[in-house]
Amino acid sequence: MVIECVPNVSEGRRPEIVAAIADAIRAVNGVRLLDHSSDPSHHRSVFTLAGDAAGVERAVLALFERAVADVDLRTHRGEHPRMGAVDVVPFVPIEGITMAECVALAREVGAAVAERFGVPVFLYEEASANPARKNLEDIRRGEFEGLAAKMRNAEWTPDFGPAVPHPSAGASVIGARMPLIAYNINLDTNRLDVAKKIAAAIRHSSGGLRYVKAAGFMLEDRGVAQVSMNLTNYEKTPIFRVFEIVKREAARYGVSILESEIVGLVPSAALTAAAEFYLQIERFGPEQVLENKLK
Amino acid sequence: MVIECVPNVSEGRRPEIVAAIADAIRAVNGVRLLDHSSDPSHHRSVFTLAGDAAGVERAVLALFERAVADVDLRTHRGEHPRMGAVDVVPFVPIEGITMAECVALAREVGAAVAERFGVPVFLYEEASANPARKNLEDIRRGEFEGLAAKMRNAEWTPDFGPAVPHPSAGASVIGARMPLIAYNINLDTNRLDVAKKIAAAIRHSSGGLRYVKAAGFMLEDRGVAQVSMNLTNYEKTPIFRVFEIVKREAARYGVSILESEIVGLVPSAALTAAAEFYLQIERFGPEQVLENKLK
């Protein structure tokens, strides 16, 4: 069983604090710290860990212990919005685990965090049953500074823990989501308006595919217009469908696709699905992928 | 490091002998028996194992020990051609190992087999430097019954071991090759002649792509003509190129592709390459595949 977990901590300037959190995670059995990176201007660090349910839970609690002790939002200023010392903790099902099990894990960890550290916890994304409390941005609006006032409204009673913010650590958002794929398509044109029109056609918010966020940008140094996207559920909105629609929309303006790019990590299954689509492969299952047999 | 090894043993009728070989492999550290299957009419069993170099070498020697003791080719009759109790042993680089290292391993195992069991060993495929002794079919021609006469010719001096066959175990062919992909494309037609013409166009032996073997067949129950292929080096002759050429050749006869299918296992990278091709993905590396980070 492999669960990915990507906690975001509101500390990106003191390397010794970040290192202490990383060491605390590494000391936990059943989990591996795959990566961590800090952004001083955002004043924020992102940790990527992977393990089984018990391992990931222990690691998140170890991370909370250090972050709640060492981060004080009352004096924290950075570019990135935040409302908690541990700001957001998504659990992502990778292998041998369902989304429902990741939701159950998010609830279990949320309850443990609230009890052990006195930090209020809001569930988000798949772990939230409340449509007004699914999006991180909605929950975090007003940030740490507006949190006490926001929580006086009964609509913002936390899912776990006290009805008021932790004095220094604020509140945390914990939940479950699919892996994100950062996917860009570069157009063989310098016409930014074409990229913007295609982005509007493809993204969910303006009538497009359900699990696509998109915007048009200009790569100034190359003179290339780009449709920049986040694919938030590659099983339900697969990469190949996004690519084909963008290609068709671009053709309407006489523009072709120069290239596409995946930024960061992509689950193997997202690429395999594209191969199956284009090669018209029938009667194929993940057990036929050699690497899956070797696990 | 992962090496796949697929020894073929000339025993497919006595389950207790096959089980004893499987148990001998399972008792070895550093290697896993992924699969084994026996064909009574072929009188042959295929074992699929995976592990590091030391583990795979120990497993092959353990397999030889049992097979040389229990299989006697003087009384062996089956449909499948064979010349050894252990007929052929290919080492296949999967991950963290080069072809050159698999060739070195094949030589090391070949020398050990010859010394320990007195079985002559012929190197084949990538492990052979002699063009006349690269193809298994060329080396095995004449089979066990013709082996003693064949080996009297200096052209058939083995790479390791005695210049005469082992009395009961014959000789073994050991080498290194890329993973095979069994890949079929079904045409939206019942015209067998179209499948045969496309097979002739695509296969290496009649002027096509270097690492393609192909034949045309009729799926009688479905009334569907099939181009049935073995892809012997998916890095140099990728699946997508084969698919696109078959599609183009079929169009010349007014025929479209109904579907394709992969029979058995396929390395993840063979499918990823197809996704990269069709999605025009640039600046992508295997380290971006999430599962590779989890290893």
Side-chain angles (χ1 to χ4, degrees), chain A residues 2 4 32 34-35 50 94-95 179 183 186 222 239-240 243-244 247 257-272 274-276 278-284 287-295, chain B residues 2 4 32 34-35 50 94-95 179 183 186 222 239-240 243-244 247 257-272 274-276 278-284 287-295:
Chain A
V2 180
E4 188 188 38
R32 280 172 54 204
L34 300 181
D35 192 29
I94 301 297
E95 189 184 301
Y183 183 58
N186 294 338
R222 298 176 62 192
I239 300 179
F240 59 80
F243 179 85
E244 288 298 325
K247 184 160 79 173
I257 289 180
L258 184 63
E259 62 190 22
S260 78
E261 63 180 349
I262 289 168
V263 182
L265 296 178
V266 60
S268 169
L271 297 177
T272 303
E276 286 182 62
Y278 288 107
L279 299 173
Q280 298 175 227
I281 302 176
E282 294 295 330
R283 295 174 293 280
F284 184 79
E287 73 284 358
Q288 290 182 255
V289 176
L290 182 60
E291 284 79 357
N292 291 345
K293 292 282 279 190
L294 297 177
K295 275 166 193 163
Chain B
V2 181
E4 188 189 40
R32 280 173 53 205
L34 299 181
D35 192 30
I94 301 296
E95 188 184 302
Y183 183 56
N186 294 337
R222 298 176 62 192
I239 301 180
F240 59 80
F243 179 85
E244 289 298 325
K247 184 160 81 172
I257 289 181
L258 184 62
E259 63 191 20
S260 78
E261 63 181 348
I262 289 168
V263 183
L265 295 179
V266 61
S268 169
L271 297 177
T272 304
E276 287 182 63
Y278 288 107
L279 299 174
Q280 299 175 226
I281 301 176
E282 294 295 330
R283 296 173 293 280
F284 184 79
E287 74 284 357
Q288 289 182 256
V289 176
L290 182 61
E291 284 79 357
N292 292 345
K293 292 281 281 188
L294 297 177
K295 275 169 193 157

Side-chain angles (χ1 to χ4, degrees), chain B residues 136-259:
Chain B
L136 177 60
E137 292 73 16
D138 294 334
I139 300 172
R140 197 164 53 191
R141 192 165 295 125
E143 296 193 49
F144 174 74
E145 287 72 13
L147 187 59
K150 183 174 186 170
M151 289 179 73
R152 278 182 220 120
N153 184 331
E155 279 176 24
W156 292 102
T157 302
D159 292 285
F160 302 104
V164 295
H166 184 285
S168 59
S172 292
V173 181
I174 299 179
R177 61 163 172 79
M178 286 287 289
L180 287 181
I181 300 175
Y183 183 56
N184 300 328
I185 295 179
N186 294 337
L187 305 175
D188 192 16
T189 183
N190 60 3
R191 292 164 58 192
L192 176 58
D193 65 308
V194 172
K196 285 181 180 290
K197 282 176 191 159
I198 294 172
I202 194 92
R203 71 182 165 226
H204 182 240
S205 64
S206 51
L209 293 167
R210 176 151 178 190
Y211 296 102
V212 175
K213 300 178 180 182
F217 289 105
M218 193 66 198
L219 305 181
E220 297 290 353
D221 52 330
R222 298 176 62 192
V224 162
Q226 177 179 81
V227 183
S228 178
M229 292 170 281
N230 269 313
L231 310 184
T232 59
N233 186 328
Y234 69 86
E235 288 181 348
K236 293 181 178 162
T237 301
I239 301 180
F240 59 80
R241 194 164 299 140
V242 171
F243 179 85
E244 289 298 325
I245 295 178
V246 169
K247 184 160 81 172
R248 186 64 192 83
E249 294 285 328
R252 181 245 174 279
Y253 302 102
V255 168
S256 59
I257 289 181
L258 184 62
E259 63 191 20

Side-chain angles (χ1 to χ4, degrees), chain B residues 73-89:
Chain B
L73 286 192
R74 289 169 293 194
T75 56
H76 179 279
R77 300 288 178 277
E79 281 176 29
H80 199 289
R82 80 286 175 266
M83 71 180 214
V86 180
D87 199 48
V88 55
V89 182

Side-chain angles (χ1 to χ4, degrees), chain A residues 39-260:
Chain A
D39 187 318
S41 68
H42 285 187
H43 206 343
R44 189 177 182 89
S45 295
V46 179
F47 299 82
T48 305
L49 28 138
D52 59 21
V56 167
E57 174 165 359
R58 284 192 298 265
V60 170
L61 293 174
L63 171 140
F64 260 93
E65 182 156 27
R66 295 252 35 100
V68 170
D70 293 333
V71 174
D72 188 339
L73 287 192
R74 290 169 292 194
T75 56
H76 178 278
R77 300 289 177 273
E79 280 177 31
H80 199 290
R82 79 287 176 267
M83 70 179 216
V86 180
D87 198 49
V88 54
V89 182
F91 295 97
V92 182
I94 301 297
E95 189 184 301
I97 182 156
T98 64
M99 180 56 81
E101 289 166 327
C102 278
V103 166
L105 178 62
R107 297 184 66 88
E108 186 177 311
V109 172
V113 161
E115 190 191 333
R116 197 177 301 185
F117 305 105
V119 172
V121 169
F122 295 92
L123 297 171
Y124 88 125
E125 288 289 347
E126 300 287 330
S128 169
N130 181 343
R133 286 163 58 160
K134 272 201 175 292
N135 284 326
L136 177 60
E137 291 73 17
D138 294 334
I139 300 172
R140 199 164 53 191
R141 193 164 293 124
E143 297 194 47
F144 174 74
E145 287 71 14
L147 186 59
K150 183 173 186 172
M151 288 180 74
R152 275 181 223 119
N153 183 332
E155 278 176 25
W156 292 102
T157 302
D159 292 285
F160 301 104
V164 295
H166 183 285
S168 59
S172 292
V173 181
I174 299 180
R177 62 163 171 80
M178 286 288 288
L180 287 181
I181 301 175
Y183 183 58
N184 299 329
I185 296 180
N186 294 338
L187 305 175
D188 192 15
T189 182
N190 60 3
R191 293 165 57 194
L192 176 59
D193 65 307
V194 171
K196 286 181 179 289
K197 282 177 193 159
I198 294 173
I202 195 89
R203 70 181 167 230
H204 182 240
S205 64
S206 51
L209 293 166
R210 176 153 179 188
Y211 297 102
V212 176
K213 299 176 180 182
F217 289 105
M218 192 68 197
L219 306 180
E220 297 291 351
D221 52 330
R222 298 176 62 192
V224 162
Q226 177 180 81
V227 183
S228 177
M229 292 169 281
N230 269 312
L231 310 185
T232 59
N233 186 328
Y234 69 85
E235 289 181 347
K236 293 181 178 162
T237 301
I239 300 179
F240 59 80
R241 194 163 300 142
V242 171
F243 179 85
E244 288 298 325
I245 295 177
V246 169
K247 184 160 79 173
R248 186 64 193 82
E249 294 286 326
R252 181 243 175 279
Y253 303 101
V255 169
S256 60
I257 289 180
L258 184 63
E259 62 190 22
S260 78

